[in-house]
Amino acid sequence: TMALKAALAVLPGLAIIGIFWAIGRLIVEEEDEFIRMLIVRQTLIATGFALGLATLWGFLEVSDIVPHIDAYWFAVSFFFGQFIGAISNKLTYGAWGAM
């Protein structure tokens, strides 16, 4: 039925939300200020990458230049942005951080 379908559809989204929550807890609970700075920087880079991509794609989609994609791909782009942020940290500060 519709309620069961909705509940099953929400489960993977809740898991991803749990990952975002865990990243926030890591930032709050990290005691080493340098590592915390690396994690915050990495997360800001990932957020900027994902939101920038979502914004650009949205404008291109509205203009009928690119096809519609499912919104969960922007969470995937955030995790790819975490990788970009880790590389940026390594190149800039010589350390990957804790993630």
Side-chain angles (χ1 to χ4, degrees), residues 5 15-16 18-19 23 27-28 39 41-42 45 54 59 63 86 92 98:
K5 285 174 70 173
I16 299 299
I19 294 170
I23 291 170
I27 292 169
V28 169
I39 296 166
R41 187 173 189 273
Q42 180 178 354
I45 289 169
F59 282 112
S63 301
T92 306

Side-chain angles (χ1 to χ4, degrees), residues 1-2 22 24 28 34 40 42 50-51 65 69-70 73 76 89 94:
T1 67
M2 187 62 81
V28 169
F34 178 69
V40 168
Q42 180 178 354
L51 290 177
I65 297 170
I69 62 170
D70 295 325
W73 284 107
V76 173
N89 282 343

Side-chain angles (χ1 to χ4, degrees), residues 1-3 13 18 22 26-27 30 33 40-41 46 48 56 58 60 69 73-74 76 83-84 88-89 91 97-98:
T1 67
M2 187 62 81
L26 176 62
I27 292 169
E30 178 58 56
E33 290 180 17
V40 168
R41 187 173 189 273
L56 288 174
L60 290 170
I69 62 170
W73 284 107
F74 297 115
V76 173
F83 174 67
I84 295 170
S88 177
N89 282 343
L91 294 174

